[in-house]
Coordinates of all heavy atoms in Angstrom, one line a residue:
M42 N 6.7 26.2 -23.5 CA 5.7 25.2 -23.7 C 5.0 25.5 -25.1 O 4.6 26.6 -25.3 CB 4.6 25.3 -22.6 CG 3.9 24.0 -22.5 SD 2.6 24.1 -21.2 CE 3.5 23.7 -19.7
K43 N 4.9 24.5 -25.9 CA 4.3 24.6 -27.2 C 2.8 24.7 -27.0 O 2.2 24.1 -26.2 CB 4.6 23.4 -28.1 CG 6.0 23.4 -28.6 CD 6.3 22.1 -29.4 CE 7.8 22.0 -29.7 NZ 8.2 20.7 -30.1
P44 N 2.1 25.6 -27.9 CA 0.7 25.8 -27.7 C -0.1 24.5 -27.7 O -1.0 24.4 -26.9 CB 0.4 26.7 -28.9 CG 1.6 27.3 -29.3 CD 2.7 26.4 -28.9
K45 N 0.2 23.6 -28.6 CA -0.6 22.4 -28.7 C -0.5 21.6 -27.5 O -1.5 21.0 -27.0 CB 0.0 21.6 -29.9 CG -1.1 20.6 -30.5 CD -0.6 19.9 -31.7 CE -1.6 18.9 -32.2 NZ -1.1 18.2 -33.3
R46 N 0.7 21.5 -26.9 CA 0.9 20.8 -25.7 C 0.1 21.4 -24.5 O -0.4 20.7 -23.7 CB 2.4 20.8 -25.4 CG 2.7 19.7 -24.4 CD 4.2 19.4 -24.4 NE 4.4 18.5 -23.3 CZ 5.5 17.8 -23.1 NH1 6.5 18.0 -24.0 NH2 5.6 17.0 -22.1
F47 N 0.1 22.7 -24.5 CA -0.6 23.4 -23.5 C -2.1 23.1 -23.5 O -2.7 22.9 -22.5 CB -0.4 24.9 -23.7 CG -0.9 25.8 -22.6 CD1 -0.4 25.7 -21.3 CD2 -2.0 26.6 -22.8 CE1 -0.9 26.5 -20.3 CE2 -2.5 27.4 -21.8 CZ -2.0 27.4 -20.6
D48 N -2.6 23.0 -24.8 CA -4.0 22.6 -25.0 C -4.3 21.3 -24.4 O -5.3 21.1 -23.7 CB -4.2 22.5 -26.5 CG -5.2 23.5 -27.0 OD1 -5.3 24.6 -26.4 OD2 -5.9 23.3 -28.0
V49 N -3.5 20.3 -24.6 CA -3.7 19.0 -24.1 C -3.6 19.0 -22.6 O -4.4 18.4 -21.9 CB -2.6 18.0 -24.7 CG1 -2.7 16.7 -24.0 CG2 -2.7 17.9 -26.2
W50 N -2.7 19.8 -22.1 CA -2.5 19.9 -20.6 C -3.8 20.5 -20.0 O -4.3 20.0 -19.0 CB -1.3 20.8 -20.4 CG -1.0 21.0 -19.0 CD1 -0.4 20.1 -18.1 CD2 -1.1 22.2 -18.2 NE1 -0.3 20.7 -16.9 CE2 -0.7 22.0 -16.9 CE3 -1.6 23.5 -18.5 CZ2 -0.7 22.9 -15.9 CZ3 -1.6 24.5 -17.5 CH2 -1.2 24.2 -16.2
L51 N -4.3 21.5 -20.6 CA -5.6 22.1 -20.1 C -6.7 21.1 -20.2 O -7.5 21.0 -19.3 CB -5.9 23.3 -21.0 CG -5.4 24.7 -20.5 CD1 -5.9 25.8 -21.5 CD2 -5.8 25.0 -19.1
R52 N -6.8 20.4 -21.3 CA -7.9 19.4 -21.4 C -7.8 18.3 -20.4 O -8.7 17.9 -19.8 CB -7.8 18.8 -22.8 CG -9.2 18.4 -23.3 CD -9.1 17.9 -24.8 NE -8.5 18.8 -25.7 CZ -7.6 18.5 -26.6 NH1 -7.3 17.3 -26.8 NH2 -7.2 19.4 -27.4
N53 N -6.5 17.9 -20.1 CA -6.3 16.9 -19.1 C -6.8 17.4 -17.7 O -7.5 16.7 -17.0 CB -4.8 16.6 -18.9 CG -4.4 15.6 -20.0 OD1 -5.3 14.9 -20.6 ND2 -3.1 15.5 -20.3
I54 N -6.5 18.7 -17.4 CA -7.0 19.2 -16.1 C -8.5 19.2 -16.0 O -9.1 18.8 -15.1 CB -6.4 20.7 -16.0 CG1 -4.9 20.6 -15.7 CG2 -7.1 21.4 -14.8 CD1 -4.3 21.9 -15.4
S55 N -9.2 19.7 -17.1 CA -10.6 19.8 -17.0 C -11.2 18.4 -16.9 O -12.2 18.2 -16.3 CB -11.2 20.6 -18.2 OG -10.8 20.0 -19.4
E56 N -10.6 17.5 -17.6 CA -11.2 16.1 -17.5 C -11.0 15.5 -16.1 O -11.9 14.9 -15.6 CB -10.4 15.2 -18.5 CG -11.1 15.2 -19.9 CD -10.2 14.5 -21.0 OE1 -9.3 13.8 -20.6 OE2 -10.5 14.8 -22.2
T57 N -9.9 15.8 -15.5 CA -9.7 15.3 -14.2 C -10.7 15.9 -13.2 O -11.3 15.2 -12.4 CB -8.2 15.7 -13.7 OG1 -7.3 15.4 -14.7 CG2 -7.9 14.9 -12.5
Q58 N -10.9 17.2 -13.4 CA -11.8 17.9 -12.5 C -13.3 17.4 -12.6 O -14.0 17.2 -11.7 CB -11.8 19.4 -12.7 CG -10.7 20.1 -12.0 CD -10.6 21.5 -12.4 OE1 -11.2 22.0 -13.3 NE2 -9.7 22.2 -11.6
E59 N -13.6 17.0 -13.9 CA -14.9 16.5 -14.1 C -15.2 15.2 -13.4 O -16.3 14.9 -12.9 CB -15.1 16.3 -15.6 CG -16.5 16.5 -16.2 CD -16.5 16.3 -17.7 OE1 -15.5 16.6 -18.3 OE2 -17.5 15.7 -18.1
E60 N -14.1 14.4 -13.3 CA -14.3 13.1 -12.7 C -14.0 13.1 -11.2 O -14.2 12.1 -10.5 CB -13.3 12.1 -13.3 CG -13.8 11.7 -14.7 CD -13.4 10.4 -15.1 OE1 -12.9 9.6 -14.2 OE2 -13.5 10.0 -16.3
E61 N -13.5 14.2 -10.7 CA -13.1 14.3 -9.3 C -14.4 14.3 -8.4 O -15.3 15.0 -8.7 CB -12.3 15.5 -9.0 CG -10.8 15.1 -8.8 CD -9.9 16.3 -8.7 OE1 -10.4 17.3 -8.1 OE2 -8.8 16.2 -9.2
I62 N -14.3 13.7 -7.2 CA -15.3 13.8 -6.2 C -14.8 14.7 -5.1 O -13.6 14.8 -4.9 CB -15.8 12.5 -5.7 CG1 -14.6 11.7 -5.1 CG2 -16.5 11.7 -6.8 CD1 -15.1 10.4 -4.4
S63 N -15.6 15.2 -4.3 CA -15.2 16.0 -3.2 C -14.9 15.2 -2.0 O -15.2 14.0 -2.0 CB -16.3 17.0 -2.8 OG -17.4 16.2 -2.3
C64 N -14.2 15.8 -1.0 CA -13.8 15.0 0.2 C -15.1 14.5 0.9 O -15.1 13.4 1.5 CB -13.1 16.0 1.1 SG -11.4 16.3 0.5
T65 N -16.2 15.3 0.9 CA -17.4 14.9 1.5 C -18.0 13.6 0.8 O -18.3 12.6 1.5 CB -18.5 16.0 1.4 OG1 -17.9 17.2 1.7 CG2 -19.6 15.7 2.4
E66 N -18.0 13.6 -0.5 CA -18.4 12.4 -1.2 C -17.5 11.2 -1.0 O -18.0 10.1 -0.8 CB -18.4 12.7 -2.7 CG -19.6 13.6 -3.2 CD -19.5 14.0 -4.6 OE1 -18.7 14.8 -5.0 OE2 -20.3 13.4 -5.4
C67 N -16.2 11.5 -0.9 CA -15.3 10.4 -0.7 C -15.5 9.8 0.7 O -15.5 8.6 0.9 CB -13.9 11.0 -0.8 SG -12.6 9.7 -0.6
F68 N -15.8 10.7 1.7 CA -16.0 10.3 3.0 C -17.2 9.4 3.1 O -17.2 8.4 3.8 CB -16.1 11.5 4.0 CG -16.1 11.1 5.4 CD1 -15.0 10.7 6.1 CD2 -17.4 11.1 6.1 CE1 -15.1 10.3 7.4 CE2 -17.4 10.7 7.4 CZ -16.3 10.3 8.1
D69 N -18.3 9.8 2.3 CA -19.5 9.0 2.3 C -19.3 7.6 1.7 O -19.9 6.6 2.1 CB -20.6 9.7 1.5 CG -21.2 10.8 2.3 OD1 -21.0 10.9 3.5 OD2 -21.8 11.7 1.6
L70 N -18.3 7.5 0.8 CA -18.1 6.3 0.0 C -17.0 5.4 0.6 O -16.8 4.3 0.1 CB -17.8 6.6 -1.4 CG -19.0 7.2 -2.3 CD1 -18.5 7.8 -3.5 CD2 -20.0 6.0 -2.6
V71 N -16.3 6.0 1.5 CA -15.1 5.2 1.9 C -15.4 3.9 2.6 O -14.7 2.9 2.5 CB -14.1 6.2 2.8 CG1 -14.5 6.2 4.2 CG2 -12.7 5.7 2.6
S72 N -16.5 3.9 3.4 CA -16.9 2.6 4.0 C -17.3 1.6 3.0 O -17.0 0.4 3.1 CB -18.0 2.8 5.0 OG -19.1 3.5 4.4
R73 N -18.0 2.1 2.0 CA -18.4 1.2 0.8 C -17.1 0.7 0.1 O -17.0 -0.5 -0.2 CB -19.3 2.0 -0.1 CG -19.5 1.3 -1.4 CD -20.7 0.4 -1.4 NE -20.8 -0.5 -2.6 CZ -20.8 -1.8 -2.5 NH1 -20.7 -2.4 -1.4 NH2 -20.9 -2.5 -3.6
F74 N -16.2 1.6 0.0 CA -14.9 1.2 -0.7 C -14.2 0.1 0.1 O -13.7 -0.9 -0.5 CB -14.0 2.5 -0.7 CG -12.7 2.4 -1.4 CD1 -12.6 2.6 -2.8 CD2 -11.6 2.0 -0.7 CE1 -11.4 2.5 -3.4 CE2 -10.3 1.9 -1.4 CZ -10.3 2.1 -2.7
L75 N -14.2 0.2 1.4 CA -13.6 -0.8 2.3 C -14.3 -2.1 2.2 O -13.7 -3.2 2.1 CB -13.6 -0.3 3.7 CG -12.4 0.5 4.1 CD1 -12.6 1.2 5.5 CD2 -11.1 -0.4 4.2
E76 N -15.6 -2.0 2.1 CA -16.5 -3.2 2.0 C -16.1 -4.0 0.7 O -15.9 -5.2 0.8 CB -17.9 -2.8 1.9 CG -18.8 -3.1 3.1 CD -20.2 -2.6 2.9 OE1 -20.8 -3.0 1.9 OE2 -20.6 -1.8 3.8
V77 N -16.0 -3.3 -0.4 CA -15.7 -3.9 -1.7 C -14.3 -4.5 -1.6 O -14.1 -5.6 -2.0 CB -15.8 -2.8 -2.8 CG1 -15.2 -3.4 -4.1 CG2 -17.2 -2.3 -3.0
E78 N -13.4 -3.7 -1.0 CA -12.0 -4.2 -0.9 C -11.9 -5.4 -0.1 O -11.2 -6.4 -0.4 CB -11.1 -3.0 -0.4 CG -9.7 -3.2 -0.7 CD -8.9 -2.1 -0.1 OE1 -9.0 -1.8 1.1 OE2 -8.1 -1.5 -0.9
T79 N -12.5 -5.4 1.1 CA -12.4 -6.6 2.0 C -13.1 -7.8 1.5 O -12.7 -8.9 1.9 CB -12.8 -6.2 3.4 OG1 -14.1 -5.6 3.4 CG2 -11.9 -5.3 4.2
S80 N -14.1 -7.6 0.7 CA -14.8 -8.7 0.1 C -14.2 -9.2 -1.2 O -14.7 -10.1 -1.9 CB -16.3 -8.4 -0.1 OG -16.4 -7.4 -1.1
G81 N -13.0 -8.7 -1.5 CA -12.3 -9.2 -2.6 C -12.7 -8.6 -3.9 O -12.4 -9.0 -5.0
G82 N -13.5 -7.5 -3.9 CA -14.0 -6.8 -5.1 C -12.9 -6.0 -5.7 O -11.8 -5.8 -5.1
H83 N -13.3 -5.5 -6.9 CA -12.3 -4.7 -7.6 C -12.6 -3.2 -7.5 O -13.5 -2.7 -8.2 CB -12.2 -5.1 -9.1 CG -10.9 -4.9 -9.7 ND1 -10.7 -3.8 -10.5 CD2 -9.7 -5.5 -9.6 CE1 -9.4 -3.8 -10.9 NE2 -8.8 -4.9 -10.4
V84 N -12.0 -2.5 -6.5 CA -12.3 -1.1 -6.2 C -12.1 -0.2 -7.4 O -12.8 0.8 -7.6 CB -11.6 -0.6 -5.0 CG1 -12.2 -1.1 -3.7 CG2 -10.1 -0.9 -5.0
A85 N -11.0 -0.5 -8.2 CA -10.7 0.3 -9.3 C -11.8 0.3 -10.4 O -12.0 1.3 -11.1 CB -9.4 -0.1 -9.9
T86 N -12.6 -0.7 -10.4 CA -13.7 -0.8 -11.4 C -15.0 -0.3 -10.8 O -15.8 0.3 -11.4 CB -13.9 -2.2 -11.9 OG1 -12.8 -3.0 -11.6 CG2 -14.1 -2.3 -13.4
E87 N -15.2 -0.7 -9.5 CA -16.5 -0.4 -8.9 C -16.5 1.0 -8.4 O -17.6 1.7 -8.4 CB -16.7 -1.4 -7.7 CG -17.1 -2.7 -8.2 CD -17.8 -3.6 -7.2 OE1 -18.7 -3.0 -6.5 OE2 -17.4 -4.7 -7.0
L88 N -15.4 1.5 -7.8 CA -15.4 2.9 -7.3 C -14.2 3.6 -7.7 O -13.4 4.0 -6.9 CB -15.5 2.8 -5.7 CG -16.7 2.2 -5.1 CD1 -16.4 1.7 -3.7 CD2 -17.9 3.2 -5.0
P89 N -14.0 3.8 -9.0 CA -12.8 4.4 -9.5 C -12.6 5.8 -9.0 O -11.4 6.2 -8.8 CB -13.0 4.4 -11.1 CG -14.5 4.2 -11.3 CD -15.0 3.5 -10.1
R90 N -13.7 6.5 -8.8 CA -13.5 7.9 -8.4 C -13.0 8.0 -6.9 O -12.2 8.9 -6.6 CB -14.8 8.7 -8.5 CG -15.1 9.0 -9.9 CD -16.5 9.4 -10.1 NE -16.8 9.4 -11.6 CZ -17.7 10.1 -12.2 NH1 -18.4 11.0 -11.5 NH2 -17.9 10.0 -13.4
V91 N -13.5 7.1 -6.1 CA -13.0 7.1 -4.7 C -11.5 6.7 -4.7 O -10.7 7.3 -4.0 CB -13.8 6.1 -3.9 CG1 -13.3 6.1 -2.5 CG2 -15.3 6.4 -4.0
K92 N -11.2 5.7 -5.5 CA -9.8 5.3 -5.6 C -8.9 6.4 -6.0 O -7.9 6.7 -5.5 CB -9.6 4.1 -6.5 CG -8.2 3.6 -6.6 CD -8.1 2.2 -7.1 CE -6.7 1.7 -7.3 NZ -5.7 2.3 -6.4
Q93 N -9.4 7.1 -7.1 CA -8.6 8.2 -7.6 C -8.5 9.3 -6.5 O -7.4 9.9 -6.4 CB -9.4 8.8 -8.8 CG -8.6 9.8 -9.6 CD -9.5 10.7 -10.5 OE1 -10.7 10.7 -10.4 NE2 -8.8 11.3 -11.5
H94 N -9.5 9.6 -5.8 CA -9.5 10.6 -4.8 C -8.5 10.2 -3.7 O -7.7 11.1 -3.2 CB -10.9 10.9 -4.3 CG -10.9 12.1 -3.3 ND1 -11.2 13.4 -3.8 CD2 -10.7 12.2 -2.0 CE1 -11.1 14.2 -2.7 NE2 -10.8 13.5 -1.6
L95 N -8.6 9.0 -3.3 CA -7.7 8.5 -2.2 C -6.2 8.6 -2.6 O -5.4 8.9 -1.8 CB -8.1 7.1 -1.8 CG -9.4 6.9 -1.1 CD1 -9.7 5.4 -0.9 CD2 -9.3 7.6 0.3
D96 N -6.0 8.4 -3.9 CA -4.6 8.5 -4.4 C -4.1 9.9 -4.4 O -2.9 10.2 -4.3 CB -4.5 8.0 -5.9 CG -4.6 6.5 -5.9 OD1 -4.4 5.8 -4.9 OD2 -4.8 5.9 -7.0
Q97 N -5.0 10.9 -4.5 CA -4.7 12.3 -4.6 C -4.8 13.1 -3.3 O -4.1 14.0 -3.1 CB -5.5 13.0 -5.7 CG -5.2 12.5 -7.1 CD -6.3 13.0 -8.0 OE1 -7.2 13.6 -7.6 NE2 -6.1 12.7 -9.3
C98 N -5.7 12.6 -2.4 CA -6.0 13.4 -1.3 C -5.4 12.8 0.0 O -5.9 11.7 0.4 CB -7.5 13.6 -1.2 SG -8.0 14.6 0.3
R99 N -4.5 13.5 0.6 CA -3.8 13.0 1.8 C -4.8 12.8 3.0 O -4.8 11.8 3.7 CB -2.7 13.9 2.2 CG -1.8 13.5 3.3 CD -1.1 12.2 2.9 NE -0.9 11.3 4.0 CZ 0.2 11.1 4.7 NH1 1.3 11.7 4.2 NH2 0.3 10.4 5.7
A100 N -5.7 13.8 3.1 CA -6.6 13.8 4.3 C -7.5 12.5 4.2 O -7.7 11.9 5.2 CB -7.4 15.0 4.3
C101 N -8.1 12.3 3.0 CA -9.0 11.2 2.8 C -8.3 9.8 2.9 O -8.8 8.8 3.4 CB -9.8 11.3 1.5 SG -11.0 12.6 1.6
R102 N -7.0 9.8 2.4 CA -6.2 8.6 2.5 C -6.0 8.3 4.0 O -6.1 7.1 4.4 CB -4.9 8.9 1.8 CG -3.9 7.8 1.8 CD -3.5 7.3 0.4 NE -3.1 5.9 0.6 CZ -3.6 4.9 -0.2 NH1 -4.5 5.2 -1.1 NH2 -3.2 3.7 0.0
D103 N -5.7 9.3 4.8 CA -5.5 9.0 6.2 C -6.8 8.4 6.8 O -6.7 7.5 7.6 CB -5.1 10.3 6.9 CG -3.7 10.7 6.7 OD1 -2.9 9.9 6.2 OD2 -3.3 11.8 7.1
E104 N -7.9 9.0 6.5 CA -9.2 8.6 7.0 C -9.4 7.1 6.6 O -9.8 6.3 7.4 CB -10.3 9.5 6.4 CG -11.6 9.2 6.9 CD -11.8 9.7 8.3 OE1 -11.2 10.8 8.7 OE2 -12.5 9.1 9.1
Y105 N -9.1 6.8 5.3 CA -9.3 5.5 4.8 C -8.4 4.5 5.5 O -8.9 3.4 5.9 CB -9.1 5.5 3.3 CG -8.6 4.2 2.7 CD1 -9.6 3.1 2.6 CD2 -7.3 3.9 2.4 CE1 -9.2 1.9 2.0 CE2 -6.9 2.7 1.9 CZ -7.8 1.7 1.7 OH -7.4 0.5 1.2
E106 N -7.2 4.9 5.7 CA -6.2 4.0 6.4 C -6.6 3.7 7.8 O -6.5 2.6 8.3 CB -4.8 4.5 6.3 CG -4.2 4.3 4.9 CD -2.9 4.9 4.7 OE1 -2.4 5.6 5.6 OE2 -2.3 4.7 3.6
M107 N -7.2 4.7 8.5 CA -7.6 4.6 9.8 C -8.7 3.6 9.9 O -8.8 2.7 10.8 CB -8.0 5.9 10.4 CG -8.0 6.0 11.9 SD -8.7 7.6 12.4 CE -10.4 7.4 12.0
L108 N -9.7 3.8 9.0 CA -10.9 2.9 9.0 C -10.5 1.5 8.7 O -11.0 0.5 9.2 CB -11.9 3.4 8.0 CG -12.8 4.6 8.4 CD1 -13.5 5.1 7.2 CD2 -13.7 4.2 9.5
R109 N -9.5 1.4 7.8 CA -9.1 0.0 7.3 C -8.4 -0.7 8.5 O -8.6 -1.9 8.7 CB -8.1 0.2 6.2 CG -7.7 -1.1 5.5 CD -6.6 -0.9 4.6 NE -5.4 -0.3 5.3 CZ -4.3 0.1 4.7 NH1 -4.2 0.1 3.4 NH2 -3.4 0.6 5.4
D110 N -7.6 0.1 9.2 CA -6.9 -0.5 10.4 C -7.9 -0.9 11.5 O -7.7 -2.0 12.1 CB -5.9 0.5 11.0 CG -4.7 0.6 10.0 OD1 -4.5 -0.2 9.1 OD2 -3.9 1.6 10.3
L111 N -8.9 -0.1 11.7 CA -9.9 -0.4 12.6 C -10.6 -1.7 12.3 O -10.9 -2.6 13.1 CB -10.9 0.7 12.7 CG -10.6 1.9 13.7 CD1 -11.7 2.9 13.6 CD2 -10.5 1.4 15.1
A112 N -11.0 -1.8 11.0 CA -11.7 -3.0 10.5 C -10.8 -4.2 10.7 O -11.3 -5.3 11.0 CB -12.1 -2.8 9.0
R113 N -9.5 -4.0 10.4 CA -8.6 -5.2 10.5 C -8.5 -5.6 12.0 O -8.5 -6.8 12.3 CB -7.2 -4.7 10.0 CG -6.3 -5.9 9.7 CD -5.0 -5.4 9.1 NE -5.2 -5.0 7.7 CZ -4.3 -4.2 7.1 NH1 -3.2 -3.9 7.7 NH2 -4.5 -3.9 5.8
L114 N -8.4 -4.7 12.9 CA -8.4 -5.0 14.3 C -9.6 -5.7 14.8 O -9.5 -6.7 15.5 CB -8.2 -3.7 15.2 CG -6.8 -3.1 15.2 CD1 -6.8 -1.8 16.0 CD2 -5.8 -4.1 15.9
E115 N -10.8 -5.2 14.3 CA -12.0 -5.9 14.6 C -12.0 -7.3 14.2 O -12.4 -8.2 14.9 CB -13.2 -5.1 13.9 CG -14.2 -4.6 14.9 CD -15.2 -3.7 14.2 OE1 -16.1 -4.4 13.5 OE2 -15.2 -2.5 14.4
N116 N -11.6 -7.5 12.9 CA -11.5 -8.9 12.4 C -10.6 -9.8 13.2 O -10.9 -10.9 13.5 CB -11.0 -8.9 10.9 CG -12.2 -8.5 10.0 OD1 -13.3 -8.7 10.3 ND2 -11.8 -8.0 8.8
E117 N -9.5 -9.2 13.6 CA -8.5 -10.0 14.4 C -9.0 -10.4 15.7 O -8.8 -11.5 16.2 CB -7.2 -9.2 14.5 CG -6.3 -9.4 13.3 CD -5.1 -8.5 13.2 OE1 -4.9 -7.8 14.3 OE2 -4.5 -8.3 12.2
S118 N -9.8 -9.5 16.4 CA -10.3 -9.8 17.7 C -11.4 -10.8 17.6 O -11.7 -11.4 18.6 CB -10.7 -8.5 18.4 OG -11.8 -7.9 17.7
R119 N -12.1 -10.9 16.5 CA -13.2 -11.8 16.3 C -12.7 -13.3 16.1 O -13.2 -14.2 16.6 CB -14.0 -11.4 15.1 CG -15.4 -11.0 15.6 CD -16.3 -10.7 14.4 NE -16.5 -9.2 14.2 CZ -16.7 -8.6 13.1 NH1 -16.6 -9.3 12.0 NH2 -17.0 -7.3 13.0
T120 N -11.6 -13.4 15.4 CA -11.0 -14.7 15.1 C -10.2 -15.2 16.4 O -9.4 -14.4 16.9 CB -10.1 -14.7 13.9 OG1 -9.3 -13.5 13.9 CG2 -10.9 -14.8 12.6
P121 N -10.4 -16.4 16.8 CA -9.7 -16.9 18.0 C -8.2 -17.0 17.9 O -7.7 -17.2 16.8 CB -10.4 -18.2 18.3 CG -11.1 -18.6 17.0 CD -11.3 -17.4 16.2
Ligands
LIG13 ZN1 -10.3 14.3 0.1

C-alpha cells in the first residue's frame, strides 16, 4: 500500500467514525426514521446518520425491518 493512499484510507475511517451513531441512538431514531419514510419523506436527507447506520449494522437493520413490518401489518388491518 502506498503511503499516500494509506493516509486517505485513515482519513476516511476517522470521518466515518465521526459521523457514526451508536446502536442506542439508532434505536431511538428508528421510529422517527419509519415515520419520515412512511410519510414519503426523504430519509437520506433528514436522517442520513440513521440510514448510514442501518446500512452498516445488521442488528439495527433487523430491528428496523421488524418495526416496518409491524407498521405495515397495522396499516393493512386498518384498511378494509
Ligand atoms: Zn446498530
Side-chain angles (χ1 to χ4, degrees):
M42 201 183 277
K43 287 175 189 167
K45 203 174 177 184
R46 198 166 172 165
F47 186 68
D48 244 28
V49 173
W50 182 71
L51 269 183
R52 210 174 306 136
N53 279 341
I54 287 185
S55 60
E56 271 170 18
T57 315
Q58 279 176 347
E59 213 179 322
E60 287 208 12
E61 253 175 37
I62 58 170
S63 67
C64 288
T65 318
E66 283 173 290
C67 184
F68 187 77
D69 283 346
L70 288 164
V71 82
S72 54
R73 171 86 191 121
F74 185 90
L75 271 167
E76 252 176 55
V77 172
E78 199 180 52
T79 48
S80 64
H83 208 257
V84 282
T86 346
E87 288 200 44
L88 297 157
R90 284 167 198 208
V91 181
K92 180 160 174 33
Q93 188 196 18
H94 187 92
L95 288 174
D96 284 344
Q97 289 169 358
C98 179
R99 186 64 215 255
C101 289
R102 176 126 206 124
D103 282 352
E104 186 71 38
Y105 155 75
E106 282 175 358
M107 200 186 73
L108 284 169
R109 190 193 56 190
D110 288 349
L111 275 177
R113 196 176 288 164
L114 280 175
E115 239 175 72
N116 279 339
E117 275 170 12
S118 62
R119 249 183 248 148
T120 40

